[in-house]
Amino acid sequence: MSTPTLSITRRTRSTPFSSRVEAFGVKSYTVYNHMLLPTQIRGVEEDYHHLRRAVQVWDVACERQVELAGPDAARLAQLLTVRDLRSFAVGRCGYAPVVDDDGRMINDPVVLRVADDRFWFSVSDSDVVLWAGGIARGLGLEVSVREPDVSPLAVQGPKAEDVVAAVFGEQVRGIKFFRFAPLVFTGHQLLVARSGWSAQGGFEIYVDDATLGGELYDALMAAGERYDIRPGCPNLIERIEAGLLTYGTDVTRADTALEAGLERYCSLDAPIDAIGIDALRRQAAIGVTRRVCGLLIDGAAVPAQRAPWPITVGGRSVGEVTSAVWSPRLEANVALGMVAVEHTAIGTAVVVDPPDGNRSATVCAVPFPGSSQR
Amino acid sequence: MSTPTLSITRRTRSTPFSSRVEAFGVKSYTVYNHMLLPTQIRGVEEDYHHLRRAVQVWDVACERQVELAGPDAARLAQLLTVRDLRSFAVGRCGYAPVVDDDGRMINDPVVLRVADDRFWFSVSDSDVVLWAGGIARGLGLEVSVREPDVSPLAVQGPKAEDVVAAVFGEQVRGIKFFRFAPLVFTGHQLLVARSGWSAQGGFEIYVDDATLGGELYDALMAAGERYDIRPGCPNLIERIEAGLLTYGTDVTRADTALEAGLERYCSLDAPIDAIGIDALRRQAAIGVTRRVCGLLIDGAAVPAQRAPWPITVGGRSVGEVTSAVWSPRLEANVALGMVAVEHTAIGTAVVVDPPDGNRSATVCAVPFPGSSQR
């Protein structure tokens, strides 16, 4: 059959940048947090090479913010994540897993402390605003929980710093990784963070006035002309090579933060009151039985994937491939999967079963070689 | 530009029926509750005529269930909705708005009481499982909150009863509107409700075993062959004519249940403990300032709509059109909108502003004439 188109309606919200993305041409979209997210501009491979070579502007407005504000904002923020937020001063951001009482993943947001009593959870694809609102309501906390109209616009790629500096000024160069600063664009102060969902380096600009969106997009495109700037989007090849997990694809509500390999963001020894931390402490004590790992799958390019593929050893199920794609740079199929721990040693041979037939594969380290150029 | 395709991945979950829908051919999809939902099979107008004339099988697996189970299930269910659930015996279902403390819409599910201590909220497009889970966690209720793997399959259209009776037996004919019964398909008991998101009559079958999906789909298609059965999906023209609101399009978190025109599902006089009921009582006492109404828009077919269109009277904003489409049956553009109450009297003349230029329009009653054939 021919590939189904996406019905775009009010419910699949357009972004402040959709008009620009569509004027340039966008090959495919997905829906993420009830909002449009481009997935291919020219095509996954062409977008990949360009991202690693030049610089792209990404419409990631769908990374919606959940704002916690008020006297109990810090208490609620800490309850919501197992990462110790006590060291998060204003101006700092970072990954902070949100889990349920069983330690299972509800979301893997980037948390920004935008003021002493105000946090933004920049969320992946689930309605954290309802989880946070329900917790706050149930506990009677003095905090407002809402989704402000903030639309991140990312600039990613080796030339990103030059482009963002040309628009926002040279002080951009002083922003450290996972730090943000308020910078001015046409008289309007916007938060600019050194962050983003690629390993190529770059920034995310938190556009809190939708009417500025088009103008900012155009200014970045103009400033980037000399660097061959183009519209882009999170890239399937690049993010698998970098080992960046997609919530909903590589990790779901069925997986704990430790199974997701996020232990470096789980402050299990910290004396904090966080939902799910006790469950993760117990799991850490006995050890996980499965975890996310990298895989190299043999043979020609794997087909497009829309559901996990079984992984077996000696005919016995040991896990599943959750994301896989052909890497034209490595000339191999790179993949991520959830695998029983006894089969996660680097170099372990397994069999994977895409719809077009069994293939041999090997467990390998992530990030994949050369994924980051920094 | 050409219409963007939808990237289908694990995150945009396929359903137990996707293989059948795609084998027949599906023109467009949307994503609803992180799951695929067909929006056009042959095309909106062809699907519309067929639905009103014959019978269709709809893949509405995306109407996910949120299950509340345990000693506090009934208490939590009532907390979550402003509809009085005390009269909901096992076997009864019905619309039950879920609102926040301000009375604003979080979801408009159909609630099923599947056992004394077990409820299913069959939800529209928002993560009610997180809202319910957060409330339960915050209050320390003794209840489990989860999304079971239940995928509704709808049979809609004037011949629906004959088709469902051919597969499940004659007792189907005795099921009253918004009642459900456990019926047997190939040895497996499934809940079958007389309900569905059209005004043409029909049933929704709650498929709680994904491996049965294809077989049930095929059995319904075979039984319906003599009635010209086809795959279908919720139809834009039919649902506007019937006055069926889409959460996220016609009603959002910004609108209260009374503004959404759902007062018949709000038990404001009942002595129940429900989140948001006090806010709605206060709003009912002073009266709403705006509400959903029907509109007939003059001129030729309106363009496809992806954001609300302004409604003005004498150049002053009085609301917005949220859904609009050409009705080939009424030979007019039928629409729903949110309008300031002083302009909602039937027959009121207004001006609407789609992207292709101003048009005159008239407030009218919903459902539109002849929308239901029952």
Side-chain angles (χ1 to χ4, degrees):
Chain A
M1 65 159 194
S2 62
T3 312
T5 58
L6 171 66
S7 292
I8 299 177
T9 66
R10 183 192 194 187
R11 191 177 54 75
T12 61
R13 300 177 286 183
S14 297
T15 84
F17 321 113
S18 298
S19 62
R20 266 53 176 191
V21 172
E22 293 173 19
F24 185 84
V26 51
K27 208 164 160 178
S28 58
Y29 266 133
T30 189
V31 180
Y32 192 102
N33 282 326
H34 317 279
M35 203 165 208
L36 298 178
L37 170 64
T39 54
Q40 292 185 87
I41 303 296
R42 293 292 195 230
V44 171
E45 291 204 4
E46 185 176 338
D47 294 350
Y48 166 80
H49 291 300
H50 178 264
L51 169 62
R52 289 178 55 92
R53 181 181 73 232
V55 54
Q56 298 181 344
V57 179
W58 290 5
D59 174 357
V60 284
C62 67
E63 294 172 359
R64 304 309 288 167
Q65 309 310 301
V66 176
E67 180 179 275
L68 316 180
D72 286 330
R75 183 178 160 204
L76 178 58
Q78 185 61 79
L79 259 182
L80 293 176
T81 178
V82 291
R83 180 163 183 180
D84 187 352
L85 296 182
R86 290 176 302 168
S87 62
F88 271 57
V90 173
R92 178 161 173 207
C93 53
Y95 279 109
V98 172
V99 300
D100 65 18
D101 273 302
D102 298 323
R104 298 186 196 282
M105 296 292 293
I106 285 178
N107 205 279
D108 60 340
V110 169
V111 172
L112 295 80
R113 187 166 202 160
V114 294
D116 276 336
D117 61 351
R118 198 150 54 94
F119 291 78
W120 283 354
F121 280 53
S122 189
V123 297
S124 55
D125 184 32
S126 74
D127 294 336
V128 171
V129 70
L130 295 181
W131 174 245
I135 297 288
R137 208 279 178 189
L139 292 176
L141 300 183
E142 205 178 325
V143 59
S144 87
V145 177
R146 66 183 190 110
E147 183 190 300
D149 188 16
V150 174
S151 294
L153 185 64
V155 185
Q156 300 284 302
K159 303 296 182 192
E161 186 173 295
D162 291 334
V163 172
V164 178
V167 171
F168 285 93
E170 288 301 308
Q171 62 268 52
V172 158
R173 303 190 193 273
I175 299 175
K176 294 194 168 68
F177 190 55
F178 274 134
R179 295 293 189 283
F180 63 88
L183 298 178
V184 175
F185 174 71
T186 64
H188 192 106
Q189 198 168 274
L190 300 173
L191 298 185
V192 179
R194 191 184 289 267
S195 60
W197 214 64
S198 85
Q200 307 311 312
F203 296 83
E204 290 178 299
I205 305 159
Y206 289 79
V207 180
D208 60 8
D209 179 346
T211 64
L212 280 180
E215 197 180 343
L216 174 61
Y217 198 100
D218 296 342
L220 290 164
M221 290 295 286
E225 204 175 345
R226 67 164 80 171
Y227 305 107
D228 186 27
I229 198 167
R230 271 198 219 156
C233 50
N235 182 273
L236 182 62
I237 307 167
E238 203 275 344
R239 73 104 181 151
I240 293 177
E241 289 186 354
L244 294 169
L245 306 179
T246 295
Y247 182 70
T249 297
D250 302 299
V251 173
T252 73
R253 183 74 183 265
D255 309 310
T256 73
L258 300 179
E259 291 163 352
L262 301 178
E263 51 276 351
R264 63 191 178 286
Y265 305 121
C266 299
S267 309
L268 300 187
D269 297 328
I272 54 174
D273 187 12
I275 294 169
I277 197 165
D278 286 337
L280 294 180
R281 285 170 180 150
R282 286 191 299 273
Q283 188 177 42
I286 59 173
V288 296
T289 58
R290 57 189 186 136
R291 57 170 297 135
V292 168
C293 65
L295 295 153
L296 275 169
I297 302 175
D298 294 345
V302 290
Q305 185 181 23
R306 55 188 280 177
W309 298 334
I311 303 178
T312 56
V313 169
R316 200 166 50 82
S317 169
V318 300
E320 53 189 22
V321 175
T322 54
S323 294
V325 74
W326 176 257
S327 165
R329 183 175 62 84
L330 297 174
E331 296 189 324
N333 293 295
V334 292
L336 299 171
M338 184 67 78
V339 178
V341 280
E342 58 271 31
H343 298 283
T344 52
I346 290 170
T348 303
V350 300
V351 173
V352 306
D353 191 12
D356 64 351
N358 283 354
R359 295 161 183 244
S360 52
T362 311
V363 173
C364 65
V366 280
F368 286 82
S371 62
S372 168
Q373 300 179 77
R374 281 177 300 190
Chain B
M1 64 156 192
S2 61
T3 312
T5 58
L6 172 65
S7 293
I8 299 177
T9 66
R10 182 190 193 186
R11 191 178 54 75
T12 62
R13 300 178 286 184
S14 297
T15 85
F17 322 113
S18 297
S19 62
R20 268 49 178 192
V21 173
E22 293 174 19
F24 185 85
V26 50
K27 209 164 160 178
S28 58
Y29 267 134
T30 189
V31 180
Y32 191 102
N33 282 327
H34 316 280
M35 203 163 208
L36 297 178
L37 171 64
T39 54
Q40 292 185 88
I41 304 295
R42 294 291 196 231
V44 173
E45 291 204 4
E46 185 175 339
D47 294 349
Y48 166 81
H49 291 301
H50 179 264
L51 170 62
R52 288 178 55 92
R53 180 181 73 233
V55 53
Q56 298 180 346
V57 179
W58 292 4
D59 174 358
V60 285
C62 67
E63 293 172 0
R64 304 309 287 167
Q65 309 310 302
V66 176
E67 179 178 274
L68 316 181
D72 286 331
R75 183 178 160 204
L76 178 59
Q78 185 61 82
L79 259 182
L80 292 177
T81 178
V82 292
R83 180 163 182 180
D84 187 351
L85 296 182
R86 290 175 302 169
S87 63
F88 271 57
V90 174
R92 179 161 171 206
C93 53
Y95 280 109
V98 173
V99 301
D100 65 18
D101 273 302
D102 298 324
R104 298 186 196 284
M105 296 291 292
I106 285 177
N107 205 279
D108 59 341
V110 169
V111 172
L112 295 79
R113 187 167 203 158
V114 292
D116 276 337
D117 62 351
R118 198 150 54 95
F119 291 80
W120 283 354
F121 281 54
S122 189
V123 298
S124 55
D125 184 32
S126 73
D127 295 336
V128 171
V129 69
L130 295 180
W131 175 245
I135 297 288
R137 207 279 177 190
L139 292 176
L141 299 183
E142 205 177 326
V143 59
S144 87
V145 177
R146 65 182 192 113
E147 182 191 299
D149 189 17
V150 174
S151 294
L153 185 64
V155 185
Q156 300 284 301
K159 303 296 183 193
E161 186 173 294
D162 291 333
V163 172
V164 178
V167 171
F168 285 92
E170 289 300 309
Q171 64 268 52
V172 158
R173 303 189 193 275
I175 299 175
K176 293 194 168 68
F177 190 55
F178 274 133
R179 295 292 189 282
F180 63 87
L183 298 178
V184 175
F185 174 73
T186 62
H188 193 105
Q189 196 169 273
L190 300 173
L191 298 185
V192 178
R194 191 183 289 269
S195 59
W197 215 63
S198 86
Q200 308 311 311
F203 296 83
E204 289 176 301
I205 305 158
Y206 290 79
V207 181
D208 59 9
D209 179 347
T211 65
L212 280 180
E215 198 181 341
L216 175 61
Y217 198 100
D218 296 342
L220 290 164
M221 290 295 288
E225 203 174 347
R226 67 165 80 172
Y227 304 108
D228 186 26
I229 199 168
R230 271 199 221 157
C233 50
N235 183 274
L236 181 63
I237 307 167
E238 204 274 345
R239 73 105 181 152
I240 293 177
E241 289 186 353
L244 293 169
L245 306 179
T246 294
Y247 181 71
T249 296
D250 301 300
V251 173
T252 74
R253 182 75 183 264
D255 309 310
T256 73
L258 301 179
E259 291 163 351
L262 301 177
E263 51 276 351
R264 66 191 176 286
Y265 305 121
C266 300
S267 309
L268 300 187
D269 297 329
I272 54 175
D273 187 11
I275 294 169
I277 198 166
D278 286 336
L280 294 180
R281 285 170 179 150
R282 286 191 299 272
Q283 188 177 42
I286 59 173
V288 296
T289 58
R290 57 189 187 138
R291 58 171 295 136
V292 167
C293 65
L295 295 152
L296 276 169
I297 303 176
D298 294 345
V302 289
Q305 186 181 22
R306 55 187 281 175
W309 297 334
I311 304 178
T312 56
V313 169
R316 200 165 51 83
S317 169
V318 301
E320 53 189 23
V321 175
T322 54
S323 294
V325 73
W326 176 257
S327 165
R329 183 176 61 85
L330 297 175
E331 298 189 324
N333 294 295
V334 293
L336 299 171
M338 184 66 79
V339 178
V341 279
E342 59 269 33
H343 299 283
T344 53
I346 290 169
T348 304
V350 299
V351 173
V352 306
D353 191 11
D356 64 351
N358 283 353
R359 294 162 183 244
S360 51
T362 311
V363 174
C364 65
V366 282
F368 285 82
S371 62
S372 169
Q373 300 179 80
R374 283 177 300 191

mmCIF file of all heavy atoms in Angstrom, chain B residues 75-90:
data_model
loop_
_atom_site.group_PDB
_atom_site.id
_atom_site.type_symbol
_atom_site.label_atom_id
_atom_site.label_comp_id
_atom_site.label_asym_id
_atom_site.label_seq_id
_atom_site.Cartn_x
_atom_site.Cartn_y
_atom_site.Cartn_z
ATOM 1 N N ARG B 75 -14.388 4.783 44.939
ATOM 2 C CA ARG B 75 -14.143 6.124 45.483
ATOM 3 C C ARG B 75 -13.312 6.953 44.504
ATOM 4 O O ARG B 75 -13.591 8.126 44.245
ATOM 5 C CB ARG B 75 -13.417 6.002 46.833
ATOM 6 C CG ARG B 75 -13.185 7.334 47.493
ATOM 7 C CD ARG B 75 -12.513 7.206 48.854
ATOM 8 N NE ARG B 75 -11.897 8.474 49.202
ATOM 9 C CZ ARG B 75 -10.881 8.621 50.054
ATOM 10 N NH1 ARG B 75 -10.388 7.557 50.673
ATOM 11 N NH2 ARG B 75 -10.370 9.812 50.294
ATOM 12 N N LEU B 76 -12.267 6.337 43.944
ATOM 13 C CA LEU B 76 -11.415 7.058 42.988
ATOM 14 C C LEU B 76 -12.185 7.377 41.706
ATOM 15 O O LEU B 76 -12.087 8.489 41.175
ATOM 16 C CB LEU B 76 -10.156 6.246 42.659
ATOM 17 C CG LEU B 76 -9.204 6.882 41.632
ATOM 18 C CD1 LEU B 76 -8.713 8.257 42.089
ATOM 19 C CD2 LEU B 76 -8.013 5.964 41.348
ATOM 20 N N ALA B 77 -12.962 6.425 41.224
ATOM 21 C CA ALA B 77 -13.740 6.672 40.003
ATOM 22 C C ALA B 77 -14.629 7.901 40.189
ATOM 23 O O ALA B 77 -14.695 8.775 39.317
ATOM 24 C CB ALA B 77 -14.579 5.443 39.651
ATOM 25 N N GLN B 78 -15.290 7.974 41.341
ATOM 26 C CA GLN B 78 -16.180 9.118 41.573
ATOM 27 C C GLN B 78 -15.399 10.411 41.731
ATOM 28 O O GLN B 78 -15.842 11.466 41.258
ATOM 29 C CB GLN B 78 -17.053 8.861 42.804
ATOM 30 C CG GLN B 78 -18.088 9.949 43.027
ATOM 31 C CD GLN B 78 -19.044 10.058 41.844
ATOM 32 O OE1 GLN B 78 -19.993 9.309 41.728
ATOM 33 N NE2 GLN B 78 -18.783 10.993 40.943
ATOM 34 N N LEU B 79 -14.225 10.341 42.369
ATOM 35 C CA LEU B 79 -13.386 11.537 42.493
ATOM 36 C C LEU B 79 -13.012 12.081 41.121
ATOM 37 O O LEU B 79 -12.913 13.289 40.919
ATOM 38 C CB LEU B 79 -12.092 11.182 43.220
ATOM 39 C CG LEU B 79 -11.932 11.523 44.689
ATOM 40 C CD1 LEU B 79 -10.541 11.104 45.147
ATOM 41 C CD2 LEU B 79 -12.154 13.010 44.949
ATOM 42 N N LEU B 80 -12.826 11.168 40.176
ATOM 43 C CA LEU B 80 -12.303 11.561 38.864
ATOM 44 C C LEU B 80 -13.354 12.165 37.948
ATOM 45 O O LEU B 80 -13.014 12.818 36.965
ATOM 46 C CB LEU B 80 -11.678 10.342 38.159
ATOM 47 C CG LEU B 80 -10.395 9.786 38.770
ATOM 48 C CD1 LEU B 80 -9.949 8.541 38.017
ATOM 49 C CD2 LEU B 80 -9.283 10.838 38.762
ATOM 50 N N THR B 81 -14.632 11.924 38.226
ATOM 51 C CA THR B 81 -15.649 12.468 37.328
ATOM 52 C C THR B 81 -16.758 13.176 38.086
ATOM 53 O O THR B 81 -17.129 12.761 39.188
ATOM 54 C CB THR B 81 -16.263 11.389 36.414
ATOM 55 O OG1 THR B 81 -17.294 12.014 35.608
ATOM 56 C CG2 THR B 81 -16.898 10.257 37.200
ATOM 57 N N VAL B 82 -17.289 14.219 37.444
ATOM 58 C CA VAL B 82 -18.387 14.981 38.051
ATOM 59 C C VAL B 82 -19.739 14.365 37.731
ATOM 60 O O VAL B 82 -20.778 14.904 38.115
ATOM 61 C CB VAL B 82 -18.359 16.456 37.593
ATOM 62 C CG1 VAL B 82 -17.130 17.162 38.182
ATOM 63 C CG2 VAL B 82 -18.346 16.555 36.072
ATOM 64 N N ARG B 83 -19.751 13.240 37.022
ATOM 65 C CA ARG B 83 -21.011 12.537 36.828
ATOM 66 C C ARG B 83 -21.236 11.590 38.004
ATOM 67 O O ARG B 83 -20.327 10.868 38.417
ATOM 68 C CB ARG B 83 -20.980 11.727 35.525
ATOM 69 C CG ARG B 83 -22.291 10.981 35.297
ATOM 70 C CD ARG B 83 -22.450 10.537 33.876
ATOM 71 N NE ARG B 83 -23.724 9.871 33.673
ATOM 72 C CZ ARG B 83 -24.127 9.377 32.502
ATOM 73 N NH1 ARG B 83 -23.331 9.488 31.441
ATOM 74 N NH2 ARG B 83 -25.294 8.784 32.386
ATOM 75 N N ASP B 84 -22.424 11.579 38.539
ATOM 76 C CA ASP B 84 -22.784 10.715 39.663
ATOM 77 C C ASP B 84 -22.722 9.258 39.203
ATOM 78 O O ASP B 84 -23.512 8.838 38.357
ATOM 79 C CB ASP B 84 -24.198 11.076 40.133
ATOM 80 C CG ASP B 84 -24.592 10.341 41.407
ATOM 81 O OD1 ASP B 84 -23.848 9.434 41.837
ATOM 82 O OD2 ASP B 84 -25.650 10.693 41.955
ATOM 83 N N LEU B 85 -21.790 8.504 39.755
ATOM 84 C CA LEU B 85 -21.626 7.110 39.338
ATOM 85 C C LEU B 85 -22.387 6.142 40.250
ATOM 86 O O LEU B 85 -22.315 4.927 40.055
ATOM 87 C CB LEU B 85 -20.134 6.724 39.325
ATOM 88 C CG LEU B 85 -19.228 7.449 38.331
ATOM 89 C CD1 LEU B 85 -17.798 6.912 38.422
ATOM 90 C CD2 LEU B 85 -19.752 7.313 36.894
ATOM 91 N N ARG B 86 -23.124 6.670 41.239
ATOM 92 C CA ARG B 86 -23.781 5.759 42.188
ATOM 93 C C ARG B 86 -24.796 4.859 41.505
ATOM 94 O O ARG B 86 -25.077 3.762 41.968
ATOM 95 C CB ARG B 86 -24.435 6.557 43.318
ATOM 96 C CG ARG B 86 -23.387 7.195 44.242
ATOM 97 C CD ARG B 86 -24.047 8.076 45.286
ATOM 98 N NE ARG B 86 -24.837 9.127 44.656
ATOM 99 C CZ ARG B 86 -25.698 9.913 45.309
ATOM 100 N NH1 ARG B 86 -25.905 9.746 46.602
ATOM 101 N NH2 ARG B 86 -26.357 10.858 44.669
ATOM 102 N N SER B 87 -25.349 5.343 40.374
ATOM 103 C CA SER B 87 -26.334 4.516 39.667
ATOM 104 C C SER B 87 -25.689 3.610 38.612
ATOM 105 O O SER B 87 -26.385 2.892 37.901
ATOM 106 C CB SER B 87 -27.363 5.419 38.990
ATOM 107 O OG SER B 87 -26.715 6.224 38.025
ATOM 108 N N PHE B 88 -24.363 3.666 38.499
ATOM 109 C CA PHE B 88 -23.687 2.821 37.504
ATOM 110 C C PHE B 88 -23.533 1.408 38.061
ATOM 111 O O PHE B 88 -22.564 1.102 38.756
ATOM 112 C CB PHE B 88 -22.306 3.396 37.155
ATOM 113 C CG PHE B 88 -22.333 4.378 36.007
ATOM 114 C CD1 PHE B 88 -23.139 5.504 36.059
ATOM 115 C CD2 PHE B 88 -21.557 4.186 34.866
ATOM 116 C CE1 PHE B 88 -23.166 6.420 35.008
ATOM 117 C CE2 PHE B 88 -21.574 5.088 33.814
ATOM 118 C CZ PHE B 88 -22.384 6.205 33.886
ATOM 119 N N ALA B 89 -24.490 0.559 37.739
ATOM 120 C CA ALA B 89 -24.372 -0.853 38.114
ATOM 121 C C ALA B 89 -23.401 -1.527 37.144
ATOM 122 O O ALA B 89 -23.075 -0.979 36.088
ATOM 123 C CB ALA B 89 -25.743 -1.515 38.032
ATOM 124 N N VAL B 90 -22.958 -2.712 37.505
ATOM 125 C CA VAL B 90 -22.130 -3.489 36.585
ATOM 126 C C VAL B 90 -22.931 -3.724 35.305
ATOM 127 O O VAL B 90 -24.108 -4.095 35.360
ATOM 128 C CB VAL B 90 -21.720 -4.834 37.228
ATOM 129 C CG1 VAL B 90 -20.989 -5.716 36.214
ATOM 130 C CG2 VAL B 90 -20.837 -4.587 38.445
#
